[in-house]
Amino acid sequence: MAERSTAAVDVADNSGDEPLTAEAGKATSDGVGTETKADKEAQAAGTDTKGAAADTSAPELHSGHKLARRYRLEECVTRLDGFSSWRAVDEKLRRAVGVHVLPADHPRARPVLAAARSAALLGDPRFVQVLDAVEENDLVYVVHEWLPDATELTAVLASGPLEPHDAYQLVSQVSQAMAAAHREGLAHLRLNPGSVLRTESGQYRIRGLAVMAALRGISSDHPQRTDTEAIGALLYAALTQRWPYERDAYGLSGLPKGVGLIAPDQVRAGVHRGLSELAMRALVNDGATASRQDQPCTTPEELSKAVAAMPRIRPPEPTFTAPDAFQRTTYQQGVYGQPPHRGRPSLATGPAAPVPPPPPLQSRTGKVLKWTVSALLIAALGLGSWQLADTLLKEEKKSGPSKTAGQKDDGKTKKPAFKTLAIESATEFSPLSAPFAADEVGAAIDGKEGTAWVTKEYKNYPNFGNLRERKDGSGIIVDLGSAKNVSSVEVGFYRAGQKVEVLAAQASASGPTSLSDFPHHVTALKEAGKTLSTTLDKPVRTRYLLIHIIELPTSTPDRYRGGISEIKVKG
């Protein structure tokens, strides 16, 4: 088992489709055993071979059954088309998992195994990843991680449409993830509100990559177009809380019959115009939309670039709560200093009246006294002013003449604020082995907190599995375009707990690739939290900086993974 196990970390596989089984009256948790009329429309572009599995019944399993003497089945959430899906417990690692089980002679058994293993090799944390894909004892089962803190988009939309910023994050993250999957030859083909999850941190995750379609026997002649239209439907639903077809689906009402596909900003008032046009470009693939002359997006890569070209939508400002009305204190109300009232007041007379202040001085002697006190005060003020002026003149003579314009200061003036230096490019530092994800390095310098360059996952040892080809670690090399004075470096990490250092190359260096090419230590080697920020006493002049990772933090027990989400350099 251990040799065939494929490690991955992602979110729970939960679905919001209405189940077909008579006994399932609630949302399922695998997202593959349910189907709505909208699914049938989505499958029209492809081929659904589930009829070939009609004669194959699901394995007779029960709660408490163990697979590989490790995965204990707890609750069956789907039983359909000859396979079943379960919530289970991994007794070895003591965590909840999801399991899909089907007979080894099922016509889809081989495609499911191939799809699961291919999806696991992608290693992208934006997807639900396979923990195990095994054929054993006349059974084929696929194990995926189960995280209960993730919420289906179906449940999120049940409370109303998303804010423009949330909808922007949804289409941006999902399109980027699917573009990365298609570059590796993987498609989803069943992308819907039940297969997109939102974590507590606001990140969106996609489950069932390739596996959902394999379990249901779905294929497509144009997989990129199918997935792009599905992303457009997700954005449409997020903006309007309506499904962009006439049939109701995923708990959402469809469009009125006979009106056709109308733009989101015509369905609901207040919809962001740019996002509305983007949804139509993804949904309409036979020509430019009526609202704009931009060409439609036919692949996730094109859609991702269209999202990146939009002006960034900022999150809403936090609401301000007005403070309570100001209450005057007893001192301000004139009660402070009054003698306490002795005894209880009579019910007839009410509380005792406040003691009146003493009368002012009205006699002849009182007037003389007032004028005398006033004269003394005036004299005291004049004498104090004269002494103060005399002291200031003496100090000025001691300090010498004041500085005129153009003279240099004494070096104690406030230093100007640092300016952010533009990063021309970034490359993965992998001197002794092939890069992890060379195409994803740009995510660490794109200014977006939700994207990151992520390493592979290693077993048993935090120093990249203690492998010889990783003895120099990994990280990212940033190129400032030319030698510049670097005064401050800020790094955001994919996960806290990484052992890192920041190194700098010689100012005259050109294209450094090895560890010896970075002799200057900008920071000491230490375990960093979620961010690492340092300000230098003396600027370092360099063109190339290396964010050098030596050890990775724990992702799951005995497994380690890290990465970098954002790099900022100031000078």
Side-chain angles (χ1 to χ4, degrees):
M1 278 299 301
E3 292 76 18
R4 290 177 290 180
S5 178
T6 304
V9 177
D10 214 313
V11 297
D13 197 3
N14 301 323
S15 170
D17 298 2
E18 296 179 1
L20 292 179
T21 55
E23 60 189 11
K26 58 178 188 260
T28 65
S29 299
D30 60 5
V32 295
T34 60
E35 180 179 21
T36 65
K37 295 178 179 179
D39 289 333
K40 297 177 181 178
E41 291 182 352
Q43 295 167 11
T47 303
D48 190 352
T49 62
K50 69 179 182 179
D55 297 334
T56 304
S57 60
E60 290 299 329
L61 303 175
H62 56 81
S63 297
H65 184 90
K66 287 187 181 179
L67 299 173
R69 293 183 295 180
R70 174 177 178 177
Y71 304 111
R72 186 180 72 249
L73 304 182
E74 292 287 318
E75 179 187 5
C76 181
V77 293
T78 298
R79 193 181 299 273
L80 181 70
D81 286 348
F83 69 87
S84 59
S85 299
W86 296 76
R87 177 178 59 84
V89 174
D90 182 349
E91 293 186 337
K92 183 177 181 180
L93 298 180
R94 298 181 180 180
R95 61 179 178 180
V97 294
V99 181
H100 304 305
V101 186
L102 66 164
D105 59 352
H106 194 288
R108 300 184 202 142
R110 299 300 171 191
V112 168
L113 274 177
R117 290 167 179 169
S118 298
L121 290 176
L122 180 62
D124 193 321
R126 294 172 292 191
F127 294 91
V128 171
Q129 298 187 11
V130 175
L131 301 175
D132 240 339
V134 178
E135 179 181 358
E136 184 178 65
N137 297 332
D138 298 328
L139 291 177
V140 168
Y141 57 89
V142 176
V143 183
H144 59 83
E145 191 171 9
W146 183 295
L147 294 181
D149 61 344
T151 306
E152 290 181 7
L153 185 61
T154 306
V156 175
L157 294 180
S159 59
L162 299 184
E163 294 289 338
H165 173 72
D166 290 335
Y168 173 83
Q169 291 296 325
L170 169 67
V171 68
S172 176
Q173 295 179 32
V174 173
S175 61
Q176 289 178 20
M178 289 308 305
H182 278 282
R183 284 195 293 269
E184 299 298 326
L186 294 172
H188 197 292
L189 305 184
R190 275 184 58 84
L191 201 57
N192 55 54
S195 59
V196 176
L197 306 168
R198 187 168 72 176
T199 64
E200 290 182 343
S201 62
Q203 301 300 308
Y204 292 93
R205 301 290 185 265
I206 303 171
R207 61 181 180 80
L209 178 67
V211 177
M212 276 191 188
L215 281 168
R216 300 302 299 272
I218 299 173
S219 62
S220 174
D221 294 333
H222 305 284
Q224 294 203 55
R225 176 172 176 174
T226 300
D227 283 343
T228 305
E229 290 183 348
I231 300 173
L234 290 175
L235 177 58
Y236 196 105
L239 295 173
T240 64
Q241 203 184 9
R242 301 286 292 268
W243 193 238
Y245 305 103
E246 293 184 356
R247 305 286 182 87
D248 298 346
Y250 312 108
L252 303 172
S253 300
L255 297 178
K257 294 183 179 181
V259 300
L261 182 61
I262 54 178
D265 55 2
Q266 298 177 14
V267 175
R268 174 176 166 266
V271 172
H272 189 277
R273 180 68 181 275
L275 292 176
S276 174
E277 294 173 349
L278 193 66
M280 295 301 290
R281 291 179 64 188
L283 283 169
V284 180
N285 285 285
D286 54 357
T289 64
S291 57
R292 294 189 61 177
Q293 296 303 313
D294 293 334
Q295 291 298 317
C297 300
T298 59
T299 66
E301 186 74 32
E302 292 178 359
L303 182 58
S304 175
K305 292 180 179 179
V307 175
M310 288 181 56
R312 189 172 183 180
I313 301 175
R314 298 186 177 274
E317 296 292 335
T319 57
F320 174 75
T321 304
D324 296 335
F326 179 71
Q327 300 292 333
R328 294 176 62 87
T329 64
T330 54
Y331 175 81
Q332 293 166 320
Q333 293 170 350
V335 182
Y336 181 81
Q338 294 183 7
H341 179 68
R342 302 294 182 182
R344 300 176 62 184
S346 169
L347 293 177
T349 59
V355 179
L361 297 175
Q362 297 293 343
S363 63
R364 183 176 179 181
T365 304
K367 293 180 180 180
V368 173
L369 181 60
K370 287 194 295 183
W371 282 109
T372 302
V373 172
S374 299
L376 290 173
L377 289 173
I378 293 172
L381 289 172
L383 179 62
S385 301
W386 175 80
Q387 290 178 338
L388 178 61
D390 184 61
T391 302
L392 292 175
L393 288 173
K394 290 180 180 179
E395 291 294 332
E396 184 177 358
K397 291 179 180 179
K398 291 181 180 179
S399 61
S402 61
K403 296 178 181 178
T404 60
Q407 288 182 319
K408 295 183 179 180
D409 59 21
D410 58 0
K412 297 181 180 180
T413 56
K414 186 178 180 181
K415 296 180 180 180
F418 299 135
K419 295 191 300 183
T420 300
L421 302 179
I423 298 177
E424 183 173 285
S425 63
T427 56
E428 181 176 319
F429 177 70
S430 186
L432 304 179
S433 181
F436 298 119
D439 294 339
E440 303 298 328
V441 174
I445 59 171
D446 60 0
K448 299 179 181 179
E449 297 179 358
T451 60
W453 166 82
V454 183
T455 70
K456 291 182 180 178
E457 191 172 64
Y458 290 88
K459 299 180 182 179
N460 303 324
Y461 300 97
N463 59 336
F464 296 86
N466 203 26
L467 300 177
R468 177 178 298 180
E469 61 268 23
R470 287 293 172 185
K471 67 177 184 178
D472 286 347
S474 186
I476 291 180
I477 301 173
V478 296
D479 181 4
L480 302 179
S482 61
K484 297 178 182 178
N485 292 329
V486 175
S487 301
S488 173
V489 179
E490 299 177 9
V491 184
F493 294 102
Y494 169 72
R495 182 178 282 119
Q498 303 181 79
K499 197 169 184 180
V500 299
E501 61 183 346
V502 180
L503 306 175
Q506 297 283 4
S508 59
S510 177
T513 56
S514 65
L515 194 57
S516 60
D517 293 334
F518 296 88
H520 301 296
H521 285 261
V522 179
T523 68
L525 181 64
K526 62 181 178 179
E527 183 175 309
K530 191 67 175 174
T531 59
L532 173 64
S533 179
T534 183
T535 301
L536 303 178
D537 295 333
K538 183 179 180 181
V540 174
R541 188 163 185 82
T542 184
R543 175 178 175 176
Y544 300 96
L545 290 171
L546 168 60
I547 315 302
H548 188 208
I549 302 176
I550 301 296
E551 292 184 1
L552 305 174
T554 303
S555 57
T556 59
D558 298 328
R559 298 177 186 274
Y560 303 88
R561 167 178 280 171
I564 300 173
S565 59
E566 198 61 39
I567 302 173
K568 294 181 181 179
V569 183
K570 297 182 180 181

